[in-house]
Amino acid sequence: MRIGIASDHGGFSLKEEMSARLKNGGIDVADFGPVKLDPADDYPDFVLPLSFAVASGEIERGIAICGSGVGASVAANKVKKVRAALIHDAFSAHQGVEDDNINVLCLGGRVIGNELAWEIIEKFLSAKFSGAERHKRRLAKVANISD
Ligand code: RB5
C-alpha cells in the first residue's frame, strides 16, 4: 500500500515521527510536506495536495496532521472522493474504515502522543471496508455533495 502524509507546523513533529516509523516498517510513504518547521505555514497547502493524490488514486490512504486535526479534516473533506475523519481513539481508527470507508486519517499533533497516534495509524492502515450493503447505502447518500 502506498500512503501519503502531510501536516502544517502544528503537526510537523508528529508527521516526522510517524513518517520515520512507517518507513522503518517498510511502508512506501509519500511526504507532502512541509519539509521543515515554519510557524507561518498553512495546513491547506499540504493537506489539499495529499487529498487530491488520494482522490486520484496516486496514493491509497492519507494521514493529515495539524495542531488539532480539525483544520486538516475540514480541508481534506472538501475534496471529492475523500472521506476524512479526525480520530484520536483506537476503535474509530478501524471502524472508520470498516463502516465508513475513510481514506484520510486526521490527527492533532498538539493533542495526541506518539504511541497512541502510532496505534491509531496501524489500525487505520490494516483495516478494510466491509462492503456491507447498509454501509454502501449510507455512503451513497453523502457522495458527491459539495458546497
Ligand atoms: C495552527 O496554528 C493551527 O490552527 C492548525 O495547526 C490547526 O490546529 C487547525 O485546525
Side-chain angles (χ1 to χ4, degrees):
M1 181 189 292
R2 180 162 165 78
I3 72 138
I5 194 164
S7 75
D8 69 353
H9 55 281
F12 183 74
S13 163
L14 186 61
K15 175 176 77 72
E16 294 297 291
E17 176 66 25
M18 295 301 111
S19 181
R21 291 191 190 201
L22 289 162
K23 285 173 186 160
N24 284 343
I27 294 175
D28 187 9
V29 186
D31 190 331
F32 287 79
V35 295
K36 62 178 174 55
L37 182 62
D38 174 2
D41 67 13
D42 301 325
Y43 56 81
D45 295 335
F46 309 99
V47 171
L48 289 175
L50 167 81
S51 302
F52 287 124
V54 170
S56 73
E58 178 190 331
I59 56 175
E60 204 170 320
R61 290 187 193 170
I63 299 166
I65 311 171
C66 63
S68 63
V70 174
S73 64
V74 168
N77 275 310
K78 289 288 183 186
V79 177
K80 279 193 173 181
K81 296 188 183 170
V82 167
R83 294 169 299 279
L86 170 55
I87 291 177
H88 286 150
D89 69 277
F91 172 74
S92 304
H94 64 85
Q95 204 238 21
V97 177
E98 292 158 356
D99 289 11
D100 308 307
N101 204 11
I102 62 166
N103 49 18
V104 173
L105 168 69
C106 302
L107 296 166
R110 293 172 176 158
V111 179
I112 195 170
N114 286 344
E115 299 315 319
L116 180 55
W118 181 242
E119 186 177 342
I120 287 168
I121 287 172
E122 288 186 306
K123 290 194 184 316
F124 167 64
L125 293 180
S126 60
K128 290 185 172 49
F129 179 50
S130 71
E133 274 314 311
R134 67 185 184 285
H135 296 311
K136 287 193 200 167
R137 181 181 71 237
R138 291 161 191 163
L139 288 170
K141 290 183 179 182
V142 295
N144 296 320
I145 293 174
S146 174
D147 61 353

